[in-house]
Amino acid sequence: MILSDKRILEEIESGAIVIEPFDRGCLGTNSYDVHLGKYLATYTDRVLDAKQHNKITHFEIPAEGYVLEPNTLYLGVTLEYTETHQHVPFLEGKSSTGRLGIDIHATAGKGDVGFCNTWTLEISVAQPVRIYAGMPIGQLIYFAVEGDIETFYNTKGNAKYNGKTVRPVESMMWKNSF
């Protein structure tokens, strides 16, 4: 079950959902709009290796915007810091973003109960497009969870993305055993 606008507000009031900064105007009927933070990153090497720590280079989006190019994976970050203590958050692109040919995540659209951070975006584009810090980039949808949670993400010892950040975070696949 997806939470409605009234229910999202109730959960924010109770502390079960945290969105900072929060703007009531960004609350939709059953979602909350999030915005692109000021930092992007790209991988240093063109060929990535799943068993290696692939380094990234961070840069700030200038006031005049930045043109994203096809065939490059950009890591972005949401302006909003979020916490979700009783629900499963899903991040989806906005239709206006998609209609510009911008995909905001390759596979990582679902968060875990207990996720407390900004969201790293896996951005790719169909054609060149100029983007801006602060532009609407996606929407969070919250799903109710059935049953008790045994281990919350923010208390999980092997969680790879628990460090609070305002910059995009590279893949930590290399920390897995395979």
Side-chain angles (χ1 to χ4, degrees):
M1 181 181 316
I2 297 173
L3 301 189
S4 69
D5 53 359
K6 286 185 176 183
R7 187 58 189 264
I8 292 170
L9 288 171
E10 289 170 1
E11 297 302 310
I12 289 171
E13 182 68 28
S14 76
I17 294 174
V18 174
I19 302 171
E20 296 172 354
F22 177 78
D23 178 351
R24 179 70 170 81
C26 295
L27 184 63
T29 304
N30 57 344
S31 64
Y32 185 84
D33 289 349
V34 292
H35 302 81
L36 183 61
K38 65 182 180 178
Y39 297 106
L40 291 176
T42 55
Y43 282 97
T44 305
D45 295 323
R46 190 69 184 162
V47 176
L48 304 178
D49 186 333
K51 287 191 173 189
Q52 301 298 317
H53 185 183
N54 298 283
K55 306 291 186 193
I56 58 174
T57 302
H58 290 98
F59 58 96
E60 196 167 329
I61 300 170
E64 65 273 11
Y66 182 82
V67 177
L68 302 178
E69 298 287 344
N71 302 315
T72 299
L73 175 62
Y74 298 90
L75 299 178
V77 66
T78 58
L79 175 67
E80 290 82 3
Y81 167 86
T82 67
E83 295 182 8
T84 309
H85 300 288
Q86 296 176 5
H87 305 90
V88 177
F90 273 73
L91 177 65
E92 295 295 336
K94 296 183 61 56
S95 62
S96 297
T97 307
R99 291 173 191 184
L100 290 172
I102 302 171
D103 290 321
I104 67 163
H105 66 76
T107 61
K110 179 193 70 66
D112 286 316
V113 178
F115 177 75
C116 302
N117 213 339
T118 55
W119 290 70
T120 292
L121 310 170
E122 305 137 357
I123 303 172
S124 59
V125 296
Q127 67 186 64
V129 60
R130 185 176 300 275
I131 52 106
Y132 301 88
M135 68 182 272
I137 196 74
Q139 55 191 342
L140 285 171
I141 302 163
Y142 296 94
F143 286 80
V145 174
E146 178 142 345
D148 295 330
I149 304 295
E150 182 176 41
T151 307
F152 292 86
Y153 187 80
N154 59 334
T155 63
K156 192 175 173 182
N158 63 347
K160 294 185 288 285
Y161 304 104
N162 259 339
K164 188 174 178 181
T165 182
V166 296
R167 294 177 183 254
V169 177
E170 68 271 29
S171 172
M172 298 294 170
M173 174 65 77
W174 59 275
K175 290 185 174 185
N176 293 319
S177 297
F178 59 96

